[in-house]
């Protein structure tokens, strides 16, 4: 009789759990929302262009409805210190991360699996145009390597003028997304400029762990040719009225940095060294030099998944104006970037043009810009009088020119003028 009761007791536990959790199971689910057409037309690769399933570009008339589906979870990336350890087979330190993956176009019933252990660093780039409506579905796929954690995640579009806080991603002031659930953020994009995005849940931890990405908005003035200083442009950093922020090619460059100790303690399920946070891997677009100039998408050494899809190589044809959309999401330090041989013209900061419309007098020439976390600047490099060759964009914080213990790397990339 006693053993019968015992068995009944054991059986009762899962039954009670099932009853308790059943409502949660039916309510929380993956749910990609795209009003244009139920999801069959979408911005699959984050380039801001909507394509049908067969790849045909189907951008509707303005305002465009841009849909994107991100998964939030964990994963691994490879750091750039590939020379120190000869046994590493050309792979650098394997870094445990939290991050986002692009699962746009993946059917809802396969999105969890596609997003698991697929964290990208940096997060998939979000590029939209002023006037667009962005429907950004975020699904929390859980942290596979930390099953003890049940952290929610959010998307915080840093600098976005939300009409209400519900889509701001600050968990204390809005909502955050639990494991197995999806929230679709809605943004009516009304301001051009260089922004950035990150998860805002336990921000010091989740940002140090890598939930950071490039995000920028192209100007409504694009497509209307304007002549500035004798040259014609059809792409502009801002709605400047006079073409003074015109450019030929643009590159988002995001400053970030990792403390390997923090990440290693994390996957070892140890107390996290918040107060001792000390970043040893300074990066541009999630890579240290020389990985910054490797045009390939990098895979990690854990399961071979593509983990670092964005590089930081800047290329231009002589005579072109290059726009650098520089942002910083470092959680620990200010960082200074400089170019040698090509003057920097700063035309915008904090997603605002410097000075009013039809006025270029507040732009300034410099040879370095310094950014703290959350700051962004737009820098134009004019290659008209620059001899073809390879130049460098790098930090003057010389201790940041290293990939942890391996010197001659870190926060540096190349500007190749052809
Ligand atoms: Cu998060």
């Amino acid at each position: 009789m006693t053993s019968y009761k015992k068995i009944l007791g054991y059986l009762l536990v899962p039954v009670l759990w099932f009853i308790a959790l059943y409502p949660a199971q039916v309510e929380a689910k993956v749910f990609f929302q795209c009003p244009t057409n139920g999801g069959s037309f979408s911005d699959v690769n984050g380039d801001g262009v909507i394509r049908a399933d067969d790849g045909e570009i189907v951008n509707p008339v303005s305002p465009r409805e841009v849909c994107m589906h991100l998964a939030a979870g964990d994963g691994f990336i490879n750091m750039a210190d590939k020379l120190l350890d000869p046994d590493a087979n050309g792979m650098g330190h394997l870094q445990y991360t939290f991050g986002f993956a692009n699962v746009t176009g993946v059917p809802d019933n396969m999105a969890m699996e596609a997003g698991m252990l697929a964290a990208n660093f940096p997060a998939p780039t979000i590029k939209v145009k002023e006037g667009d409506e962005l429907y950004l579905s975020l699904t929390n796929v859980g942290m596979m390597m930390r099953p003890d954690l049940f952290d929610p995640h959010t998307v915080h579009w840093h600098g976005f003028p939300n009409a209400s806080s519900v889509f701001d991603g600050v968990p204390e002031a809005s909502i955050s997304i639990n494991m197995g659930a999806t929230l679709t953020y809605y943004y009516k994009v009304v301001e051009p400029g260089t922004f950035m995005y990150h998860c805002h849940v336990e921000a010091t931890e989740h940002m140090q762990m890598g939930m950071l990405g490039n995000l920028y908005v192209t100007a409504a003035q694009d497509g209307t040719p304007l002549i500035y200083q004798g040259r014609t442009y059809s792409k502009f950093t801002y709605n400047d009225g006079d073409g003074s922020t015109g450019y030929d090619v643009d590159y988002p460059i995001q400053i970030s940095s990792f403390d390997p100790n923090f990440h290693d303690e994390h996957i070892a399920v140890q107390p996290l060294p918040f107060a001792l946070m000390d970043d040893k891997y300074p990066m541009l677009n999630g890579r240290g030099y020389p990985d910054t100039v490797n045009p390939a998408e990098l895979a990690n050494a854990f399961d071979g998944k593509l983990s670092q899809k964005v590089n930081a190589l800047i290329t231009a044809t002589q005579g072109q104006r290059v726009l650098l959309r520089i942002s910083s999401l470092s959680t620990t330090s200010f960082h200074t970037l400089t170019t040698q041989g090509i003057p920097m013209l700063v035309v915008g900061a904090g997603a605002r043009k410097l000075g009013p419309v039809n006025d270029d007098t507040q732009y300034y020439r410099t040879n370095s810009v310094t950014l703290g976390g959350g700051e962004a600047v737009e820098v134009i490099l004019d290659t008209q009088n620059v001899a073809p060759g390879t130049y460098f964009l790098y930090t003057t914080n010389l201790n940041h020119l290293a990939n942890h213990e391996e010197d001659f790397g870190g926060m540096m990339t190349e500007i190749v003028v052809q």
Side-chain angles (χ1 to χ4, degrees):
M1 199 58 181
T2 316
S3 64
Y4 170 73
K5 273 186 184 169
K6 229 180 196 173
I7 291 168
L8 197 68
Y10 287 143
L11 280 175
L12 209 56
V13 172
V15 170
L16 286 174
W17 271 114
F18 182 77
I19 293 168
L21 294 177
Y22 187 72
Q25 284 176 338
V26 291
E27 282 167 15
K29 62 169 190 168
V30 177
F31 185 32
F32 173 50
Q33 291 175 289
C34 188
T36 313
N37 37 49
S40 60
F41 295 70
S42 51
D43 177 14
V44 176
N45 58 4
D47 64 357
V49 177
I50 299 173
R51 290 176 176 81
D53 290 341
D54 61 1
E56 185 199 353
I57 296 174
V58 289
N59 266 350
V61 290
S62 192
R64 304 185 310 166
E65 287 173 334
V66 181
C67 299
M68 196 171 178
H69 190 185
L70 291 178
D74 60 353
F76 292 89
I77 67 167
N78 281 300
M79 309 312 292
D81 47 356
K82 300 182 188 323
L83 302 175
L84 271 188
D85 182 1
D87 298 327
N89 293 322
M91 290 292 192
H93 179 64
L94 191 64
Q95 194 80 89
Y96 178 57
T97 59
F98 292 176
F100 298 98
N102 193 349
V103 292
T104 312
V106 177
D108 283 359
N109 62 357
M110 293 163 72
M112 288 290 288
E113 199 181 337
M116 281 174 186
L117 276 180
N120 283 195
F121 189 64
T125 300
I126 299 176
K127 175 188 174 185
V128 285
K129 186 176 180 182
E130 183 184 350
D132 285 353
E133 290 180 73
L134 174 62
Y135 294 82
L136 179 64
S137 296
L138 178 68
T139 297
N140 183 345
V141 299
M143 266 83 81
M144 291 290 282
M145 304 307 288
R146 286 295 307 268
D148 56 312
L149 293 180
F150 39 87
D151 292 25
H153 295 294
T154 66
V155 166
H156 172 67
W157 177 327
H158 186 83
F160 189 83
N162 274 293
S164 106
S165 64
V166 66
F167 292 136
D168 196 36
V170 179
E172 296 82 358
S174 62
I175 44 179
S176 46
I177 298 96
N178 287 317
M179 266 187 280
T182 305
L183 175 74
T184 300
Y185 291 82
Y186 170 78
Y187 305 96
K188 174 73 181 160
V189 183
V190 293
E191 292 182 0
T194 302
F195 299 83
M196 60 207 86
Y197 77 103
H198 61 87
C199 173
H200 217 301
V201 174
E202 294 164 13
T204 314
E205 177 189 353
H206 287 211
M207 290 176 70
Q208 166 66 237
M209 289 303 289
M211 305 192 83
L212 322 169
N214 284 300
L215 193 170
Y216 58 100
V217 180
T218 57
Q221 189 182 289
D222 280 5
T224 307
L226 283 174
I227 299 170
Y228 180 71
Q229 293 181 344
R231 284 184 278 170
T232 305
Y233 302 99
S234 58
K235 291 189 280 190
F236 308 92
T237 319
Y238 289 101
N239 300 307
D240 51 37
D242 56 5
S244 59
T245 66
Y247 64 88
D248 299 294
V249 289
D250 64 335
Y251 293 92
I253 300 286
Q254 188 157 84
I255 293 168
S256 60
S257 49
F258 278 170
D259 173 4
N261 190 35
F262 193 96
H263 293 243
D264 293 348
E265 295 292 289
H266 208 298
I267 195 164
V269 200
Q270 295 301 304
L272 298 174
F274 283 98
L276 301 172
M277 203 180 271
D278 184 11
D279 289 354
K280 299 293 177 81
Y281 286 106
M283 292 169 282
L284 296 173
N285 286 346
R287 303 178 182 203
Y289 187 83
D291 281 354
T292 46
V293 298
N294 184 346
E297 299 186 336
L298 306 182
N300 71 55
F302 178 73
D303 55 9
K305 277 190 181 171
L306 292 173
S307 55
Q308 288 142 288
K309 297 184 180 177
V310 186
N311 65 67
L313 178 63
I314 299 156
T315 57
T317 308
Q318 188 190 28
Q320 285 187 322
R321 256 182 149 205
V322 183
L323 169 63
L324 301 183
R325 300 176 172 280
I326 304 173
S327 64
S328 173
L329 277 172
S330 168
T331 55
T332 56
S333 308
F334 283 82
H335 294 278
T336 300
L337 289 181
T338 187
T339 53
Q340 279 196 342
I342 311 179
M344 297 170 128
L345 178 69
V346 180
V347 300
R352 285 283 184 282
K353 176 186 182 295
L354 298 183
V357 172
N358 288 312
D359 181 334
D360 61 3
T361 58
Q362 293 187 38
Y363 306 161
Y364 62 92
R365 281 185 196 286
T366 180
N367 62 4
S368 73
V369 289
T370 299
L371 289 86
E375 291 187 295
V377 291
E378 281 105 359
V379 170
I380 287 178
L381 307 177
D382 192 345
T383 64
Q384 193 170 34
N385 299 312
V386 173
T390 299
Y391 301 81
F392 294 94
L393 174 73
Y394 64 98
T395 182
T396 53
N397 308 89
L398 299 181
N399 57 324
H400 292 152
L401 286 173
N403 300 307
H404 197 189
E405 291 175 354
E406 185 176 297
D407 280 337
F408 312 117
M411 195 173 287
M412 178 164 93
T413 189
E414 294 175 6
I415 305 164
V416 179
V417 179
Q418 285 148 347

